[in-house]
Amino acid sequence: MSHTLGIRQAQKQKTRQALLDAALGLLEEQSLSSLGLREVTRAVGVAPTAFYRHFRSTADLGVALVEEALGSLHPMIRTTVSADGDPDERIARAVELIAGHVAAHPAHVRFIARERHGGVQPVREAIQDQLARFGEEVKRELAKDPMSEGWSDDDLLMLANLYVDQMLMTASLFLDTLEEGAEEERARVVHIANRRMRLISIGRRHWLD
């Protein structure tokens, strides 16, 4: 009996993931607010009623996509502000980590970039919740750095959110460098991202002056 339940659960999870993957593919060309559940179920090859076994609505599916897109990024975000190594080397490493993530997961990055200010409120709120978590995690990492001595919690959180916002902006810019022959554009984005991160870093060093 438990074996049968295990098979059913595995099949349910497989169908759920197929719905997420299909939706993500369809969202390459449109916003979530215009996506119909029949489009998604048609792409997977299941009946529309099957959708409701996994999600309450397309907004609920969108929230699950936010978790899929951002939930696994927490370790990487913390790594980008690690206090280890030379500051310029840390910035260069952070930019390369972001570039690598965009290259590996462009559809997820495009989804977040579009829906962060999109028309589906639960999805906007889910993204903001994840970004707030990033900010708190980055703040804790920054607090470990001797350079943060004397900083208030509010100022550390402000700095953390500056870093998080810059990482998101950099990820969005890298989306335009994925096509073949875009090496020059990629180099330009790397240059801009390094300069912007360095500017934040310089401001940080002199904040308490």
Side-chain angles (χ1 to χ4, degrees):
M1 183 70 169
S2 60
H3 178 66
T4 302
L5 288 174
I7 292 173
R8 286 177 181 169
Q9 187 61 35
Q11 183 58 48
K12 183 177 180 180
Q13 182 57 39
K14 184 178 178 182
T15 303
R16 183 180 190 276
Q17 188 59 53
L19 290 167
L20 287 169
D21 292 345
L24 191 62
L26 291 165
L27 290 169
E28 289 271 18
E29 304 297 334
Q30 62 183 305
S31 65
L32 183 64
S33 59
S34 66
L35 182 69
L37 70 86
R38 287 181 180 276
E39 288 181 82
V40 180
T41 54
R42 190 183 306 118
V44 176
V46 297
T49 52
F51 181 92
Y52 295 106
R53 296 180 196 139
H54 306 276
F55 305 104
R56 295 185 300 274
S57 62
T58 53
D60 189 37
L61 179 146
V63 170
L65 280 175
V66 172
E67 177 60 35
E68 185 176 84
L70 295 178
S72 63
L73 288 184
H74 294 276
M76 188 194 85
I77 293 289
R78 291 194 297 270
T79 299
T80 60
V81 294
S82 166
D84 298 333
D86 174 81
D88 286 345
E89 290 176 0
R90 294 205 311 260
I91 289 170
R93 182 176 68 234
V95 172
E96 285 304 313
L97 279 170
I98 295 166
H101 179 78
V102 174
H105 307 284
H108 280 123
V109 175
R110 194 170 287 110
F111 168 73
I112 295 299
R114 179 184 289 132
E115 299 301 331
R116 184 183 182 187
H117 303 292
V120 182
Q121 183 177 350
V123 173
R124 288 200 314 272
E125 291 174 350
I127 293 172
Q128 289 308 313
D129 286 346
Q130 285 283 350
L131 297 184
R133 283 182 57 196
F134 287 145
E136 290 291 342
E137 289 169 4
V138 170
K139 185 189 84 168
R140 287 196 292 271
E141 289 300 313
L142 292 172
K144 298 174 186 177
D145 192 328
M147 193 187 300
S148 298
E149 185 177 351
W151 281 60
S152 69
D153 277 354
D154 285 346
D155 285 356
L156 275 176
L157 184 58
M158 176 178 66
L159 177 64
N161 286 330
L162 279 175
Y163 277 120
V164 171
D165 284 344
Q166 183 54 47
M167 290 172 201
L168 282 177
M169 189 182 304
T170 299
S172 296
L173 290 173
F174 272 123
L175 284 171
D176 295 329
T177 72
L178 298 178
E179 294 181 5
E180 190 174 346
E183 291 80 8
E184 186 175 330
E185 177 64 15
R186 186 183 189 281
R188 188 183 74 84
V189 170
V190 169
H191 177 68
I192 291 171
N194 273 277
R195 281 172 58 81
R196 288 176 176 172
M197 295 279 273
R198 207 152 70 233
L199 181 60
I200 296 172
S201 182
I202 292 169
R204 177 189 180 192
R205 288 200 293 272
H206 296 283
W207 182 248
L208 297 180
D209 290 355

